[in-house]
Amino acid sequence: MIKKRVEKMITLKSEREIEGMKKAGAVLAGMHIGLRDIIKPGISSWDIEKYALRYLDENGAVPEEKGFEGYEYATCVSVNNEVCHGFPRKGLLLKEGDLVKVDTVVSVDGYMADSCWAFAVGEVSDEVKKLMEVTKKALYLGIDQAVAGNRIGDIGHAIQSYVEDEMGYGDVREFVGHGIQPTMHEDPMVPGYGEAGHGPRLKNGMTITIEPMVNVGGWQCDTSAPDGWTVTTMDGSLSCQYEHTLVVTPDGPKILTSQDPIGDAKYL
């Protein structure tokens, strides 16, 4: 959820900070896991917000998006051609075949984690399945580049080369990943596109988010919504997003918001 960029110093996190962020990440991952049983045809996107609020409260977490620059909700719930920052809405009923992205930032005892996950509503089309697969693979291609000594551009280049050059999809430019902790948005900015060998150098102890947003059509987005927040694809095509918070370590990138201890074993 980046609307403004404020220059800040890049900080390297201590073991204590990383452990705190790991606890926050576990709560956030648990929320997304729980949503697998909540998201189905017929519920409203507001039901997602209600579930998230209840889950976070029961697990001692604070929804950091609520109140950020006037945003009123704990979650962003973006559906189909909505790229990001969609409001949870009481009147928006999810239907069979929809693609839903749920993004939120939480803190536990002052330590933060940020993650977005995509969900298929009921049975979805092959187009939706492929878009979800491509976007998730793009996330992990970016994560694999998050090693000490590499540069931020290596992450974006890996994502863009796959999304655009190999798959022919649109790789969103307007919204990017970022550093995280002690606030929601820290430097460095982490674009899902870029030039290999360029940008700030990654160092052990850096905590960042990687969050590719991938459109079936062009990468351009429409940011002119009257609500000032909801972003849609310019051409009306479907959009998908996955995001993890991770830390750069001597043993490679370690995911702090993992939902899959088996599949993510090498990142834990």
Side-chain angles (χ1 to χ4, degrees):
M1 176 183 271
I2 290 189
K3 293 193 73 184
K4 299 178 182 177
R5 176 179 171 138
V6 178
E7 293 290 343
K8 299 179 181 180
M9 182 181 296
I10 299 174
T11 60
L12 306 181
K13 308 307 184 296
S14 67
E15 285 299 320
R16 175 180 56 81
E17 290 173 297
I18 293 167
E19 283 302 310
M21 293 178 70
K22 189 181 296 184
K23 290 178 182 178
V27 172
L28 183 46
M31 185 203 83
H32 281 305
I33 291 169
L35 283 173
R36 298 174 191 173
D37 295 326
I38 298 296
I39 294 176
K40 59 187 67 175
I43 74 160
S44 70
S45 63
W46 184 253
D47 291 323
I48 295 172
E49 171 80 357
K50 288 195 300 182
Y51 173 83
L53 284 169
R54 182 173 67 253
Y55 185 93
L56 297 179
D57 181 64
E58 291 173 351
N59 287 275
V62 176
E64 291 289 337
E65 287 183 359
K66 196 170 185 178
F68 175 76
E69 293 185 1
Y71 192 77
E72 299 179 6
Y73 311 100
T75 61
C76 294
V77 182
S78 306
V79 182
N80 294 333
N81 70 318
E82 294 173 347
V83 178
C84 59
H85 302 169
F87 290 178
R89 287 148 282 182
K90 294 179 180 178
L92 178 59
L93 298 181
L94 302 182
K95 63 184 185 301
E96 190 90 10
D98 280 344
L99 171 58
V100 180
K101 293 80 66 174
V102 181
D103 188 6
T104 194
V105 183
V106 307
S107 66
V108 175
D109 299 326
Y111 297 105
M112 294 200 178
D114 185 359
S115 181
C116 178
W117 216 248
F119 300 87
V121 181
E123 288 297 319
V124 297
S125 66
D126 289 342
E127 181 182 46
V128 170
K129 290 176 184 176
K130 182 179 177 183
L131 177 61
M132 294 175 74
E133 291 169 0
V134 167
T135 308
K136 191 172 183 181
K137 181 175 178 179
L139 168 64
Y140 280 85
L141 288 172
I143 290 172
D144 285 339
Q145 294 298 315
V147 297
N150 274 2
R151 293 186 180 273
I152 290 293
D154 295 319
I155 296 173
H157 178 73
I159 293 170
Q160 186 177 18
S161 296
Y162 173 62
V163 169
E164 293 193 338
D165 299 340
E166 186 175 340
M167 302 308 300
Y169 286 171
D171 185 11
V172 169
R173 311 283 201 275
E174 292 93 334
F175 300 91
V176 300
H178 49 87
I180 182 170
Q181 189 64 31
T183 68
M184 188 187 307
H185 297 142
E186 297 279 330
D187 275 340
M189 297 297 103
V190 186
Y193 58 93
E195 233 180 301
H198 288 249
R201 194 174 295 280
L202 294 162
K203 297 181 180 181
N204 293 324
M206 289 174 64
T207 49
I208 62 174
T209 74
I210 298 176
E211 47 185 296
M213 301 177 195
V214 178
N215 302 338
V216 169
W219 60 263
Q220 294 87 351
C221 295
D222 183 352
T223 59
S224 65
D227 62 29
W229 285 96
T230 305
V231 178
T232 58
T233 56
M234 189 68 75
D235 56 13
S237 65
L238 291 169
S239 184
C240 189
Q241 180 191 4
Y242 285 99
E243 173 189 14
H244 273 315
T245 296
L246 59 111
V247 57
V248 180
T249 82
D251 299 318
K254 300 300 178 183
I255 297 173
L256 303 179
T257 49
S258 173
Q259 303 174 34
D260 183 3
I262 296 174
D264 287 342
K266 76 173 186 175
Y267 303 105
L268 302 179

